[in-house]
Amino acid sequence: MAKIIVSSGTTVLQELALGSERVTIGRAPQNDLVLEDLAISAMHAMIVPGADGPYIEDLNSTNGTQINGQPFKKHFLQHDDVVMLAHYRLQFIAGEEASSPRKGAKAAGARLRMLSGPTAGREVTVRETLTTIGRPGIGVAGLIREADAYRIVHVEGRIRPLINGASMDGESCALDDGDMLDIAGVKMMFSCG
């Protein structure tokens, strides 16, 4: 089962198992995870289970929330993600079922070849069930692997992903080998197989 390890400094404060119910995080006593610090909003964030894995959403907190050092509004959690709320560190540990490929997906994964931006020319292998790409607050997309197929979803931000120059229709779009993606102004080519 997936869990969150809550720590402050070098001290582990608690481990919280994530099940099929949402988990609210904040200073108020009615939260599932209470963090007693004035820098934490009464209702700061929540973790929501989903078909594609859990995601964390900032609830318009006063001081914001960071994941892996970047501010965000909504983020699909991946194994070893670190969420920072004031001085609290929440590390996401994927459960065995969450970290293993679904429906027998091949371990080789797909590839994204960066065509523009600071990492132009770099090729990234996508092995995870869910990989988020983009710039928090501007445009973030999720690349989801199911069996041997891939699809892309808009996660957050005002800029929706472009696929082969067109804005994606609906909540998700299937990806084919050679598709050209534009995520928050960064162009990349998707390849698989």
PDB file of all heavy atoms in Angstrom, residues 24-44:
ATOM      1  N   THR A  24      -6.910  14.810   3.809  1.00  0.00           N
ATOM      2  CA  THR A  24      -6.750  16.262   3.902  1.00  0.00           C
ATOM      3  C   THR A  24      -5.574  16.577   4.819  1.00  0.00           C
ATOM      4  O   THR A  24      -5.316  15.866   5.793  1.00  0.00           O
ATOM      5  CB  THR A  24      -8.028  16.942   4.433  1.00  0.00           C
ATOM      6  OG1 THR A  24      -8.357  16.392   5.711  1.00  0.00           O
ATOM      7  CG2 THR A  24      -9.188  16.744   3.463  1.00  0.00           C
ATOM      8  N   ILE A  25      -4.867  17.661   4.478  1.00  0.00           N
ATOM      9  CA  ILE A  25      -3.668  18.063   5.207  1.00  0.00           C
ATOM     10  C   ILE A  25      -3.808  19.536   5.587  1.00  0.00           C
ATOM     11  O   ILE A  25      -4.159  20.359   4.738  1.00  0.00           O
ATOM     12  CB  ILE A  25      -2.414  17.874   4.333  1.00  0.00           C
ATOM     13  CG1 ILE A  25      -2.310  16.428   3.828  1.00  0.00           C
ATOM     14  CG2 ILE A  25      -1.152  18.276   5.089  1.00  0.00           C
ATOM     15  CD1 ILE A  25      -1.320  16.242   2.700  1.00  0.00           C
ATOM     16  N   GLY A  26      -3.542  19.850   6.854  1.00  0.00           N
ATOM     17  CA  GLY A  26      -3.616  21.245   7.278  1.00  0.00           C
ATOM     18  C   GLY A  26      -3.463  21.403   8.766  1.00  0.00           C
ATOM     19  O   GLY A  26      -3.227  20.437   9.484  1.00  0.00           O
ATOM     20  N   ARG A  27      -3.622  22.643   9.222  1.00  0.00           N
ATOM     21  CA  ARG A  27      -3.464  22.972  10.638  1.00  0.00           C
ATOM     22  C   ARG A  27      -4.724  22.668  11.452  1.00  0.00           C
ATOM     23  O   ARG A  27      -4.651  22.389  12.648  1.00  0.00           O
ATOM     24  CB  ARG A  27      -3.087  24.455  10.754  1.00  0.00           C
ATOM     25  CG  ARG A  27      -2.602  24.868  12.112  1.00  0.00           C
ATOM     26  CD  ARG A  27      -2.192  26.338  12.155  1.00  0.00           C
ATOM     27  NE  ARG A  27      -3.352  27.214  12.013  1.00  0.00           N
ATOM     28  CZ  ARG A  27      -3.560  28.072  11.017  1.00  0.00           C
ATOM     29  NH1 ARG A  27      -2.688  28.172  10.041  1.00  0.00           N
ATOM     30  NH2 ARG A  27      -4.643  28.818  10.973  1.00  0.00           N
ATOM     31  N   ALA A  28      -5.889  22.730  10.825  1.00  0.00           N
ATOM     32  CA  ALA A  28      -7.159  22.528  11.541  1.00  0.00           C
ATOM     33  C   ALA A  28      -7.267  21.078  12.035  1.00  0.00           C
ATOM     34  O   ALA A  28      -6.845  20.147  11.350  1.00  0.00           O
ATOM     35  CB  ALA A  28      -8.332  22.878  10.634  1.00  0.00           C
ATOM     36  N   PRO A  29      -7.867  20.883  13.211  1.00  0.00           N
ATOM     37  CA  PRO A  29      -7.941  19.547  13.808  1.00  0.00           C
ATOM     38  C   PRO A  29      -8.793  18.540  13.035  1.00  0.00           C
ATOM     39  O   PRO A  29      -8.644  17.338  13.224  1.00  0.00           O
ATOM     40  CB  PRO A  29      -8.519  19.801  15.205  1.00  0.00           C
ATOM     41  CG  PRO A  29      -9.152  21.144  15.137  1.00  0.00           C
ATOM     42  CD  PRO A  29      -8.432  21.908  14.083  1.00  0.00           C
ATOM     43  N   GLN A  30      -9.668  19.003  12.134  1.00  0.00           N
ATOM     44  CA  GLN A  30     -10.502  18.057  11.393  1.00  0.00           C
ATOM     45  C   GLN A  30      -9.770  17.408  10.211  1.00  0.00           C
ATOM     46  O   GLN A  30     -10.309  16.523   9.558  1.00  0.00           O
ATOM     47  CB  GLN A  30     -11.811  18.714  10.913  1.00  0.00           C
ATOM     48  CG  GLN A  30     -11.622  19.792   9.870  1.00  0.00           C
ATOM     49  CD  GLN A  30     -11.532  21.179  10.467  1.00  0.00           C
ATOM     50  OE1 GLN A  30     -11.130  21.352  11.612  1.00  0.00           O
ATOM     51  NE2 GLN A  30     -11.897  22.175   9.698  1.00  0.00           N
ATOM     52  N   ASN A  31      -8.527  17.806   9.929  1.00  0.00           N
ATOM     53  CA  ASN A  31      -7.751  17.202   8.849  1.00  0.00           C
ATOM     54  C   ASN A  31      -7.328  15.787   9.202  1.00  0.00           C
ATOM     55  O   ASN A  31      -7.175  15.445  10.374  1.00  0.00           O
ATOM     56  CB  ASN A  31      -6.507  18.049   8.547  1.00  0.00           C
ATOM     57  CG  ASN A  31      -6.866  19.318   7.817  1.00  0.00           C
ATOM     58  OD1 ASN A  31      -7.270  19.273   6.667  1.00  0.00           O
ATOM     59  ND2 ASN A  31      -6.711  20.453   8.481  1.00  0.00           N
ATOM     60  N   ASP A  32      -7.094  14.987   8.159  1.00  0.00           N
ATOM     61  CA  ASP A  32      -6.586  13.627   8.376  1.00  0.00           C
ATOM     62  C   ASP A  32      -5.127  13.671   8.830  1.00  0.00           C
ATOM     63  O   ASP A  32      -4.699  12.839   9.628  1.00  0.00           O
ATOM     64  CB  ASP A  32      -6.705  12.817   7.085  1.00  0.00           C
ATOM     65  CG  ASP A  32      -8.148  12.732   6.613  1.00  0.00           C
ATOM     66  OD1 ASP A  32      -9.003  12.281   7.396  1.00  0.00           O
ATOM     67  OD2 ASP A  32      -8.427  13.136   5.468  1.00  0.00           O
ATOM     68  N   LEU A  33      -4.373  14.621   8.300  1.00  0.00           N
ATOM     69  CA  LEU A  33      -2.982  14.833   8.707  1.00  0.00           C
ATOM     70  C   LEU A  33      -2.892  16.264   9.220  1.00  0.00           C
ATOM     71  O   LEU A  33      -3.005  17.220   8.460  1.00  0.00           O
ATOM     72  CB  LEU A  33      -2.024  14.621   7.526  1.00  0.00           C
ATOM     73  CG  LEU A  33      -0.550  14.923   7.781  1.00  0.00           C
ATOM     74  CD1 LEU A  33       0.001  14.098   8.947  1.00  0.00           C
ATOM     75  CD2 LEU A  33       0.263  14.687   6.522  1.00  0.00           C
ATOM     76  N   VAL A  34      -2.735  16.398  10.548  1.00  0.00           N
ATOM     77  CA  VAL A  34      -2.681  17.714  11.180  1.00  0.00           C
ATOM     78  C   VAL A  34      -1.221  18.112  11.365  1.00  0.00           C
ATOM     79  O   VAL A  34      -0.433  17.382  11.976  1.00  0.00           O
ATOM     80  CB  VAL A  34      -3.414  17.713  12.548  1.00  0.00           C
ATOM     81  CG1 VAL A  34      -3.300  19.071  13.219  1.00  0.00           C
ATOM     82  CG2 VAL A  34      -4.878  17.317  12.366  1.00  0.00           C
ATOM     83  N   LEU A  35      -0.859  19.284  10.808  1.00  0.00           N
ATOM     84  CA  LEU A  35       0.485  19.828  10.938  1.00  0.00           C
ATOM     85  C   LEU A  35       0.367  21.151  11.697  1.00  0.00           C
ATOM     86  O   LEU A  35      -0.118  22.139  11.149  1.00  0.00           O
ATOM     87  CB  LEU A  35       1.118  20.043   9.562  1.00  0.00           C
ATOM     88  CG  LEU A  35       1.230  18.788   8.685  1.00  0.00           C
ATOM     89  CD1 LEU A  35       1.750  19.141   7.309  1.00  0.00           C
ATOM     90  CD2 LEU A  35       2.109  17.741   9.353  1.00  0.00           C
ATOM     91  N   GLU A  36       0.780  21.145  12.953  1.00  0.00           N
ATOM     92  CA  GLU A  36       0.587  22.298  13.829  1.00  0.00           C
ATOM     93  C   GLU A  36       1.719  23.301  13.647  1.00  0.00           C
ATOM     94  O   GLU A  36       2.759  23.216  14.302  1.00  0.00           O
ATOM     95  CB  GLU A  36       0.480  21.830  15.276  1.00  0.00           C
ATOM     96  CG  GLU A  36      -0.752  20.977  15.510  1.00  0.00           C
ATOM     97  CD  GLU A  36      -0.873  20.498  16.938  1.00  0.00           C
ATOM     98  OE1 GLU A  36      -0.150  20.999  17.817  1.00  0.00           O
ATOM     99  OE2 GLU A  36      -1.714  19.620  17.168  1.00  0.00           O
ATOM    100  N   ASP A  37       1.497  24.233  12.739  1.00  0.00           N
ATOM    101  CA  ASP A  37       2.462  25.291  12.455  1.00  0.00           C
ATOM    102  C   ASP A  37       1.684  26.440  11.835  1.00  0.00           C
ATOM    103  O   ASP A  37       0.844  26.217  10.954  1.00  0.00           O
ATOM    104  CB  ASP A  37       3.527  24.775  11.487  1.00  0.00           C
ATOM    105  CG  ASP A  37       4.657  25.760  11.282  1.00  0.00           C
ATOM    106  OD1 ASP A  37       4.374  26.925  10.916  1.00  0.00           O
ATOM    107  OD2 ASP A  37       5.825  25.381  11.463  1.00  0.00           O
ATOM    108  N   LEU A  38       1.955  27.666  12.262  1.00  0.00           N
ATOM    109  CA  LEU A  38       1.221  28.821  11.742  1.00  0.00           C
ATOM    110  C   LEU A  38       1.484  29.054  10.251  1.00  0.00           C
ATOM    111  O   LEU A  38       0.703  29.732   9.587  1.00  0.00           O
ATOM    112  CB  LEU A  38       1.561  30.080  12.538  1.00  0.00           C
ATOM    113  CG  LEU A  38       1.058  30.081  13.986  1.00  0.00           C
ATOM    114  CD1 LEU A  38       1.509  31.336  14.710  1.00  0.00           C
ATOM    115  CD2 LEU A  38      -0.461  29.954  14.032  1.00  0.00           C
ATOM    116  N   ALA A  39       2.558  28.503   9.698  1.00  0.00           N
ATOM    117  CA  ALA A  39       2.848  28.634   8.267  1.00  0.00           C
ATOM    118  C   ALA A  39       1.977  27.699   7.428  1.00  0.00           C
ATOM    119  O   ALA A  39       1.932  27.815   6.207  1.00  0.00           O
ATOM    120  CB  ALA A  39       4.324  28.358   7.994  1.00  0.00           C
ATOM    121  N   ILE A  40       1.284  26.774   8.073  1.00  0.00           N
ATOM    122  CA  ILE A  40       0.394  25.823   7.394  1.00  0.00           C
ATOM    123  C   ILE A  40      -1.020  26.374   7.447  1.00  0.00           C
ATOM    124  O   ILE A  40      -1.500  26.777   8.499  1.00  0.00           O
ATOM    125  CB  ILE A  40       0.441  24.427   8.070  1.00  0.00           C
ATOM    126  CG1 ILE A  40       1.871  23.888   8.141  1.00  0.00           C
ATOM    127  CG2 ILE A  40      -0.491  23.456   7.380  1.00  0.00           C
ATOM    128  CD1 ILE A  40       2.482  23.519   6.824  1.00  0.00           C
ATOM    129  N   SER A  41      -1.706  26.404   6.314  1.00  0.00           N
ATOM    130  CA  SER A  41      -3.100  26.861   6.275  1.00  0.00           C
ATOM    131  C   SER A  41      -4.003  25.860   6.980  1.00  0.00           C
ATOM    132  O   SER A  41      -3.660  24.682   7.119  1.00  0.00           O
ATOM    133  CB  SER A  41      -3.559  27.037   4.825  1.00  0.00           C
ATOM    134  OG  SER A  41      -2.832  28.075   4.200  1.00  0.00           O
ATOM    135  N   ALA A  42      -5.176  26.326   7.422  1.00  0.00           N
ATOM    136  CA  ALA A  42      -6.135  25.444   8.100  1.00  0.00           C
ATOM    137  C   ALA A  42      -6.457  24.230   7.223  1.00  0.00           C
ATOM    138  O   ALA A  42      -6.474  23.092   7.694  1.00  0.00           O
ATOM    139  CB  ALA A  42      -7.400  26.210   8.444  1.00  0.00           C
ATOM    140  N   MET A  43      -6.744  24.466   5.956  1.00  0.00           N
ATOM    141  CA  MET A  43      -6.946  23.399   4.963  1.00  0.00           C
ATOM    142  C   MET A  43      -5.915  23.650   3.870  1.00  0.00           C
ATOM    143  O   MET A  43      -6.154  24.428   2.964  1.00  0.00           O
ATOM    144  CB  MET A  43      -8.365  23.438   4.406  1.00  0.00           C
ATOM    145  CG  MET A  43      -9.459  23.182   5.423  1.00  0.00           C
ATOM    146  SD  MET A  43      -9.461  21.485   6.030  1.00  0.00           S
ATOM    147  CE  MET A  43     -10.118  20.618   4.613  1.00  0.00           C
ATOM    148  N   HIS A  44      -4.759  23.025   3.968  1.00  0.00           N
ATOM    149  CA  HIS A  44      -3.611  23.361   3.122  1.00  0.00           C
ATOM    150  C   HIS A  44      -3.608  22.593   1.797  1.00  0.00           C
ATOM    151  O   HIS A  44      -3.455  23.180   0.736  1.00  0.00           O
ATOM    152  CB  HIS A  44      -2.322  23.080   3.901  1.00  0.00           C
ATOM    153  CG  HIS A  44      -1.122  23.777   3.350  1.00  0.00           C
ATOM    154  ND1 HIS A  44      -0.612  24.923   3.911  1.00  0.00           N
ATOM    155  CD2 HIS A  44      -0.342  23.504   2.280  1.00  0.00           C
ATOM    156  CE1 HIS A  44       0.432  25.323   3.215  1.00  0.00           C
ATOM    157  NE2 HIS A  44       0.625  24.466   2.214  1.00  0.00           N
TER     158      HIS A  44
END
